Amino acid sequence: MTTLPIENCYWVVPGKLLAGKYPRDKGEESSRIKINALLRSGIKVYVHWLGRCRRTGLIIGCWLIHQGLKGPEALVRL
């Protein structure tokens, strides 16, 4: 799966691990639409940080290194 279920996100592991912007909005209905889109795509764990995505990238980079990638490879992957 390479289709993104919502805006401002990216597949770390296609079809398995998705990361991106906090999926809630101020509006209840638009938040529900985003959460349901994530669920429909099969996501059970979505990595995000409230606010900007920079810290999400840091966590994902650390996870990639933990999975065996070298630093430069993790940066390219991000």
mmCIF file of all heavy atoms in Angstrom, residues 15-51:
data_model
loop_
_atom_site.group_PDB
_atom_site.id
_atom_site.type_symbol
_atom_site.label_atom_id
_atom_site.label_comp_id
_atom_site.label_asym_id
_atom_site.label_seq_id
_atom_site.Cartn_x
_atom_site.Cartn_y
_atom_site.Cartn_z
ATOM 1 N N GLY A 15 2.268 0.126 4.109
ATOM 2 C CA GLY A 15 1.187 -0.745 4.555
ATOM 3 C C GLY A 15 1.253 -1.163 6.013
ATOM 4 O O GLY A 15 0.349 -1.807 6.513
ATOM 5 N N LYS A 16 2.339 -0.774 6.715
ATOM 6 C CA LYS A 16 2.493 -1.211 8.104
ATOM 7 C C LYS A 16 2.730 -0.079 9.091
ATOM 8 O O LYS A 16 2.143 -0.067 10.158
ATOM 9 C CB LYS A 16 3.640 -2.208 8.221
ATOM 10 C CG LYS A 16 3.379 -3.492 7.489
ATOM 11 C CD LYS A 16 4.473 -4.492 7.761
ATOM 12 C CE LYS A 16 4.195 -5.732 6.944
ATOM 13 N NZ LYS A 16 4.025 -6.892 7.730
ATOM 14 N N LEU A 17 3.612 0.839 8.758
ATOM 15 C CA LEU A 17 3.962 1.913 9.695
ATOM 16 C C LEU A 17 3.854 3.253 8.991
ATOM 17 O O LEU A 17 4.532 3.507 7.999
ATOM 18 C CB LEU A 17 5.380 1.710 10.237
ATOM 19 C CG LEU A 17 5.886 2.756 11.228
ATOM 20 C CD1 LEU A 17 4.964 2.879 12.442
ATOM 21 C CD2 LEU A 17 7.301 2.419 11.679
ATOM 22 N N LEU A 18 2.984 4.094 9.525
ATOM 23 C CA LEU A 18 2.699 5.405 8.959
ATOM 24 C C LEU A 18 3.045 6.467 9.996
ATOM 25 O O LEU A 18 2.775 6.289 11.193
ATOM 26 C CB LEU A 18 1.214 5.485 8.601
ATOM 27 C CG LEU A 18 0.718 6.672 7.800
ATOM 28 C CD1 LEU A 18 1.286 6.642 6.388
ATOM 29 C CD2 LEU A 18 -0.805 6.673 7.740
ATOM 30 N N ALA A 19 3.642 7.551 9.566
ATOM 31 C CA ALA A 19 4.003 8.641 10.472
ATOM 32 C C ALA A 19 3.572 9.959 9.861
ATOM 33 O O ALA A 19 3.437 10.076 8.642
ATOM 34 C CB ALA A 19 5.516 8.648 10.707
ATOM 35 N N GLY A 20 3.370 10.948 10.705
ATOM 36 C CA GLY A 20 3.008 12.263 10.181
ATOM 37 C C GLY A 20 2.440 13.188 11.224
ATOM 38 O O GLY A 20 2.632 13.008 12.420
ATOM 39 N N LYS A 21 1.736 14.158 10.739
ATOM 40 C CA LYS A 21 1.142 15.202 11.568
ATOM 41 C C LYS A 21 0.041 14.635 12.468
ATOM 42 O O LYS A 21 -0.630 13.667 12.114
ATOM 43 C CB LYS A 21 0.572 16.274 10.644
ATOM 44 C CG LYS A 21 0.100 17.501 11.347
ATOM 45 C CD LYS A 21 -0.355 18.536 10.332
ATOM 46 C CE LYS A 21 -0.902 19.751 11.041
ATOM 47 N NZ LYS A 21 -1.404 20.742 10.114
ATOM 48 N N TYR A 22 -0.143 15.272 13.613
ATOM 49 C CA TYR A 22 -1.228 14.899 14.525
ATOM 50 C C TYR A 22 -2.539 14.863 13.740
ATOM 51 O O TYR A 22 -2.876 15.831 13.054
ATOM 52 C CB TYR A 22 -1.290 15.922 15.656
ATOM 53 C CG TYR A 22 -2.289 15.617 16.732
ATOM 54 C CD1 TYR A 22 -2.153 14.492 17.540
ATOM 55 C CD2 TYR A 22 -3.362 16.457 16.957
ATOM 56 C CE1 TYR A 22 -3.063 14.224 18.543
ATOM 57 C CE2 TYR A 22 -4.281 16.202 17.966
ATOM 58 C CZ TYR A 22 -4.122 15.085 18.754
ATOM 59 O OH TYR A 22 -5.029 14.812 19.753
ATOM 60 N N PRO A 23 -3.277 13.752 13.806
ATOM 61 C CA PRO A 23 -4.432 13.586 12.915
ATOM 62 C C PRO A 23 -5.728 14.259 13.355
ATOM 63 O O PRO A 23 -6.742 14.080 12.703
ATOM 64 C CB PRO A 23 -4.612 12.064 12.867
ATOM 65 C CG PRO A 23 -4.117 11.600 14.183
ATOM 66 C CD PRO A 23 -2.982 12.524 14.532
ATOM 67 N N ARG A 24 -5.706 15.015 14.437
ATOM 68 C CA ARG A 24 -6.934 15.685 14.861
ATOM 69 C C ARG A 24 -6.958 17.135 14.416
ATOM 70 O O ARG A 24 -5.930 17.748 14.221
ATOM 71 C CB ARG A 24 -7.069 15.649 16.395
ATOM 72 C CG ARG A 24 -7.225 14.293 17.014
ATOM 73 C CD ARG A 24 -8.630 13.745 17.062
ATOM 74 N NE ARG A 24 -9.691 14.688 17.215
ATOM 75 C CZ ARG A 24 -10.510 14.759 18.253
ATOM 76 N NH1 ARG A 24 -10.376 13.954 19.266
ATOM 77 N NH2 ARG A 24 -11.492 15.630 18.265
ATOM 78 N N ASP A 25 -8.160 17.683 14.285
ATOM 79 C CA ASP A 25 -8.380 19.091 13.955
ATOM 80 C C ASP A 25 -9.206 19.719 15.063
ATOM 81 O O ASP A 25 -9.678 19.033 15.969
ATOM 82 C CB ASP A 25 -9.194 19.220 12.656
ATOM 83 C CG ASP A 25 -8.414 18.804 11.434
ATOM 84 O OD1 ASP A 25 -7.206 19.044 11.389
ATOM 85 O OD2 ASP A 25 -9.042 18.246 10.521
ATOM 86 N N LYS A 26 -9.446 21.005 14.933
ATOM 87 C CA LYS A 26 -10.345 21.675 15.874
ATOM 88 C C LYS A 26 -11.776 21.194 15.678
ATOM 89 O O LYS A 26 -12.533 21.109 16.615
ATOM 90 C CB LYS A 26 -10.273 23.184 15.694
ATOM 91 C CG LYS A 26 -8.960 23.764 16.163
ATOM 92 C CD LYS A 26 -8.936 25.262 16.004
ATOM 93 C CE LYS A 26 -7.589 25.801 16.456
ATOM 94 N NZ LYS A 26 -7.492 27.235 16.289
ATOM 95 N N GLY A 27 -12.102 20.860 14.425
ATOM 96 C CA GLY A 27 -13.457 20.401 14.133
ATOM 97 C C GLY A 27 -13.620 18.914 14.405
ATOM 98 O O GLY A 27 -12.790 18.101 13.999
ATOM 99 N N GLU A 28 -14.677 18.569 15.092
ATOM 100 C CA GLU A 28 -14.925 17.167 15.444
ATOM 101 C C GLU A 28 -15.152 16.294 14.211
ATOM 102 O O GLU A 28 -14.623 15.194 14.113
ATOM 103 C CB GLU A 28 -16.141 17.075 16.377
ATOM 104 C CG GLU A 28 -16.373 15.708 16.966
ATOM 105 C CD GLU A 28 -15.262 15.255 17.899
ATOM 106 O OE1 GLU A 28 -14.652 16.107 18.565
ATOM 107 O OE2 GLU A 28 -15.005 14.032 17.951
ATOM 108 N N GLU A 29 -15.926 16.783 13.250
ATOM 109 C CA GLU A 29 -16.239 15.982 12.066
ATOM 110 C C GLU A 29 -15.004 15.726 11.211
ATOM 111 O O GLU A 29 -14.767 14.608 10.767
ATOM 112 C CB GLU A 29 -17.334 16.652 11.232
ATOM 113 C CG GLU A 29 -17.776 15.830 10.040
ATOM 114 C CD GLU A 29 -18.340 14.460 10.400
ATOM 115 O OE1 GLU A 29 -18.875 14.300 11.517
ATOM 116 O OE2 GLU A 29 -18.237 13.540 9.562
ATOM 117 N N SER A 30 -14.182 16.763 10.982
ATOM 118 C CA SER A 30 -12.983 16.564 10.164
ATOM 119 C C SER A 30 -11.991 15.643 10.868
ATOM 120 O O SER A 30 -11.298 14.852 10.216
ATOM 121 C CB SER A 30 -12.327 17.903 9.814
ATOM 122 O OG SER A 30 -11.906 18.578 10.984
ATOM 123 N N SER A 31 -11.930 15.699 12.182
ATOM 124 C CA SER A 31 -11.068 14.782 12.937
ATOM 125 C C SER A 31 -11.553 13.352 12.783
ATOM 126 O O SER A 31 -10.753 12.430 12.572
ATOM 127 C CB SER A 31 -11.061 15.155 14.420
ATOM 128 O OG SER A 31 -10.474 16.413 14.607
ATOM 129 N N ARG A 32 -12.844 13.157 12.870
ATOM 130 C CA ARG A 32 -13.431 11.816 12.723
ATOM 131 C C ARG A 32 -13.129 11.248 11.332
ATOM 132 O O ARG A 32 -12.792 10.067 11.192
ATOM 133 C CB ARG A 32 -14.934 11.880 12.967
ATOM 134 C CG ARG A 32 -15.601 10.519 13.010
ATOM 135 C CD ARG A 32 -17.058 10.590 13.433
ATOM 136 N NE ARG A 32 -17.133 11.037 14.812
ATOM 137 C CZ ARG A 32 -17.792 12.130 15.233
ATOM 138 N NH1 ARG A 32 -18.455 12.868 14.375
ATOM 139 N NH2 ARG A 32 -17.810 12.478 16.485
ATOM 140 N N ILE A 33 -13.206 12.084 10.318
ATOM 141 C CA ILE A 33 -12.917 11.650 8.950
ATOM 142 C C ILE A 33 -11.471 11.174 8.843
ATOM 143 O O ILE A 33 -11.194 10.125 8.258
ATOM 144 C CB ILE A 33 -13.210 12.789 7.949
ATOM 145 C CG1 ILE A 33 -14.724 13.007 7.847
ATOM 146 C CG2 ILE A 33 -12.605 12.498 6.582
ATOM 147 C CD1 ILE A 33 -15.130 14.266 7.118
ATOM 148 N N LYS A 34 -10.539 11.923 9.427
ATOM 149 C CA LYS A 34 -9.119 11.536 9.377
ATOM 150 C C LYS A 34 -8.863 10.229 10.128
ATOM 151 O O LYS A 34 -8.169 9.340 9.619
ATOM 152 C CB LYS A 34 -8.245 12.639 9.963
ATOM 153 C CG LYS A 34 -8.111 13.845 9.081
ATOM 154 C CD LYS A 34 -7.208 14.856 9.731
ATOM 155 C CE LYS A 34 -7.086 16.091 8.886
ATOM 156 N NZ LYS A 34 -6.191 17.068 9.509
ATOM 157 N N ILE A 35 -9.391 10.127 11.316
ATOM 158 C CA ILE A 35 -9.177 8.911 12.119
ATOM 159 C C ILE A 35 -9.772 7.700 11.399
ATOM 160 O O ILE A 35 -9.142 6.639 11.324
ATOM 161 C CB ILE A 35 -9.794 9.057 13.523
ATOM 162 C CG1 ILE A 35 -9.137 10.218 14.288
ATOM 163 C CG2 ILE A 35 -9.700 7.754 14.299
ATOM 164 C CD1 ILE A 35 -7.665 10.064 14.550
ATOM 165 N N ASN A 36 -10.960 7.840 10.850
ATOM 166 C CA ASN A 36 -11.580 6.730 10.113
ATOM 167 C C ASN A 36 -10.772 6.351 8.877
ATOM 168 O O ASN A 36 -10.662 5.172 8.538
ATOM 169 C CB ASN A 36 -13.022 7.065 9.749
ATOM 170 C CG ASN A 36 -13.940 6.992 10.954
ATOM 171 O OD1 ASN A 36 -13.668 6.263 11.904
ATOM 172 N ND2 ASN A 36 -15.012 7.754 10.934
ATOM 173 N N ALA A 37 -10.179 7.342 8.194
ATOM 174 C CA ALA A 37 -9.337 7.048 7.031
ATOM 175 C C ALA A 37 -8.116 6.233 7.455
ATOM 176 O O ALA A 37 -7.714 5.297 6.756
ATOM 177 C CB ALA A 37 -8.912 8.343 6.343
ATOM 178 N N LEU A 38 -7.531 6.573 8.589
ATOM 179 C CA LEU A 38 -6.398 5.792 9.101
ATOM 180 C C LEU A 38 -6.822 4.362 9.413
ATOM 181 O O LEU A 38 -6.137 3.403 9.042
ATOM 182 C CB LEU A 38 -5.814 6.445 10.363
ATOM 183 C CG LEU A 38 -5.056 7.749 10.150
ATOM 184 C CD1 LEU A 38 -4.736 8.400 11.493
ATOM 185 C CD2 LEU A 38 -3.791 7.519 9.351
ATOM 186 N N LEU A 39 -7.946 4.215 10.076
ATOM 187 C CA LEU A 39 -8.435 2.878 10.431
ATOM 188 C C LEU A 39 -8.759 2.049 9.189
ATOM 189 O O LEU A 39 -8.415 0.865 9.121
ATOM 190 C CB LEU A 39 -9.665 2.988 11.337
ATOM 191 C CG LEU A 39 -9.397 3.565 12.729
ATOM 192 C CD1 LEU A 39 -10.718 3.809 13.457
ATOM 193 C CD2 LEU A 39 -8.477 2.662 13.525
ATOM 194 N N ARG A 40 -9.390 2.669 8.200
ATOM 195 C CA ARG A 40 -9.721 1.951 6.962
ATOM 196 C C ARG A 40 -8.475 1.479 6.220
ATOM 197 O O ARG A 40 -8.506 0.474 5.524
ATOM 198 C CB ARG A 40 -10.565 2.827 6.031
ATOM 199 C CG ARG A 40 -12.036 2.834 6.356
ATOM 200 C CD ARG A 40 -12.844 3.471 5.232
ATOM 201 N NE ARG A 40 -12.337 4.754 4.796
ATOM 202 C CZ ARG A 40 -12.623 5.926 5.368
ATOM 203 N NH1 ARG A 40 -13.423 5.969 6.410
ATOM 204 N NH2 ARG A 40 -12.118 7.050 4.893
ATOM 205 N N SER A 41 -7.376 2.218 6.368
ATOM 206 C CA SER A 41 -6.144 1.822 5.682
ATOM 207 C C SER A 41 -5.409 0.717 6.435
ATOM 208 O O SER A 41 -4.360 0.264 5.987
ATOM 209 C CB SER A 41 -5.231 3.034 5.483
ATOM 210 O OG SER A 41 -4.678 3.438 6.721
ATOM 211 N N GLY A 42 -5.972 0.285 7.563
ATOM 212 C CA GLY A 42 -5.360 -0.809 8.318
ATOM 213 C C GLY A 42 -4.387 -0.359 9.387
ATOM 214 O O GLY A 42 -3.750 -1.188 10.031
ATOM 215 N N ILE A 43 -4.269 0.933 9.605
ATOM 216 C CA ILE A 43 -3.337 1.450 10.606
ATOM 217 C C ILE A 43 -3.880 1.196 12.006
ATOM 218 O O ILE A 43 -5.006 1.540 12.322
ATOM 219 C CB ILE A 43 -3.099 2.963 10.388
ATOM 220 C CG1 ILE A 43 -2.376 3.202 9.083
ATOM 221 C CG2 ILE A 43 -2.330 3.580 11.550
ATOM 222 C CD1 ILE A 43 -1.014 2.552 8.996
ATOM 223 N N LYS A 44 -3.039 0.562 12.839
ATOM 224 C CA LYS A 44 -3.364 0.372 14.258
ATOM 225 C C LYS A 44 -2.387 1.172 15.104
ATOM 226 O O LYS A 44 -2.700 1.512 16.233
ATOM 227 C CB LYS A 44 -3.299 -1.111 14.600
ATOM 228 C CG LYS A 44 -4.372 -1.907 13.885
ATOM 229 C CD LYS A 44 -4.337 -3.349 14.315
ATOM 230 C CE LYS A 44 -5.496 -4.092 13.727
ATOM 231 N NZ LYS A 44 -5.250 -4.785 12.534
ATOM 232 N N VAL A 45 -1.140 1.441 14.571
ATOM 233 C CA VAL A 45 -0.139 2.302 15.236
ATOM 234 C C VAL A 45 0.254 3.391 14.273
ATOM 235 O O VAL A 45 0.829 3.131 13.240
ATOM 236 C CB VAL A 45 1.118 1.501 15.662
ATOM 237 C CG1 VAL A 45 2.190 2.416 16.223
ATOM 238 C CG2 VAL A 45 0.751 0.420 16.641
ATOM 239 N N TYR A 46 -0.044 4.671 14.576
ATOM 240 C CA TYR A 46 0.303 5.836 13.772
ATOM 241 C C TYR A 46 1.239 6.686 14.620
ATOM 242 O O TYR A 46 0.880 7.109 15.711
ATOM 243 C CB TYR A 46 -0.972 6.602 13.416
ATOM 244 C CG TYR A 46 -0.745 7.885 12.658
ATOM 245 C CD1 TYR A 46 -0.305 7.854 11.348
ATOM 246 C CD2 TYR A 46 -0.977 9.114 13.247
ATOM 247 C CE1 TYR A 46 -0.106 9.024 10.629
ATOM 248 C CE2 TYR A 46 -0.786 10.290 12.550
ATOM 249 C CZ TYR A 46 -0.351 10.237 11.248
ATOM 250 O OH TYR A 46 -0.153 11.393 10.534
ATOM 251 N N VAL A 47 2.452 6.916 14.143
ATOM 252 C CA VAL A 47 3.430 7.686 14.902
ATOM 253 C C VAL A 47 3.254 9.162 14.574
ATOM 254 O O VAL A 47 3.328 9.551 13.409
ATOM 255 C CB VAL A 47 4.875 7.238 14.574
ATOM 256 C CG1 VAL A 47 5.883 8.066 15.352
ATOM 257 C CG2 VAL A 47 5.053 5.755 14.862
ATOM 258 N N HIS A 48 3.025 9.957 15.603
ATOM 259 C CA HIS A 48 2.871 11.397 15.415
ATOM 260 C C HIS A 48 3.329 12.120 16.672
ATOM 261 O O HIS A 48 3.519 11.522 17.721
ATOM 262 C CB HIS A 48 1.413 11.757 15.117
ATOM 263 C CG HIS A 48 0.531 11.564 16.306
ATOM 264 N ND1 HIS A 48 0.409 12.514 17.297
ATOM 265 C CD2 HIS A 48 -0.239 10.521 16.676
ATOM 266 C CE1 HIS A 48 -0.435 12.048 18.231
ATOM 267 N NE2 HIS A 48 -0.821 10.845 17.875
ATOM 268 N N TRP A 49 3.505 13.387 16.514
ATOM 269 C CA TRP A 49 3.811 14.247 17.638
ATOM 270 C C TRP A 49 2.869 15.416 17.531
ATOM 271 O O TRP A 49 2.613 15.906 16.441
ATOM 272 C CB TRP A 49 5.265 14.724 17.551
ATOM 273 C CG TRP A 49 5.776 15.203 18.867
ATOM 274 C CD1 TRP A 49 5.622 16.452 19.404
ATOM 275 C CD2 TRP A 49 6.508 14.441 19.822
ATOM 276 N NE1 TRP A 49 6.214 16.498 20.624
ATOM 277 C CE2 TRP A 49 6.770 15.288 20.911
ATOM 278 C CE3 TRP A 49 6.973 13.135 19.864
ATOM 279 C CZ2 TRP A 49 7.476 14.861 22.032
ATOM 280 C CZ3 TRP A 49 7.668 12.726 20.969
ATOM 281 C CH2 TRP A 49 7.915 13.577 22.033
ATOM 282 N N LEU A 50 2.339 15.847 18.638
ATOM 283 C CA LEU A 50 1.423 16.986 18.617
ATOM 284 C C LEU A 50 2.198 18.227 18.176
ATOM 285 O O LEU A 50 3.204 18.574 18.763
ATOM 286 C CB LEU A 50 0.808 17.209 19.997
ATOM 287 C CG LEU A 50 -0.221 18.317 20.108
ATOM 288 C CD1 LEU A 50 -1.373 18.072 19.152
ATOM 289 C CD2 LEU A 50 -0.742 18.421 21.527
ATOM 290 N N GLY A 51 1.763 18.834 17.126
ATOM 291 C CA GLY A 51 2.453 20.001 16.597
ATOM 292 C C GLY A 51 3.153 19.663 15.296
ATOM 293 O O GLY A 51 2.594 19.007 14.439
#
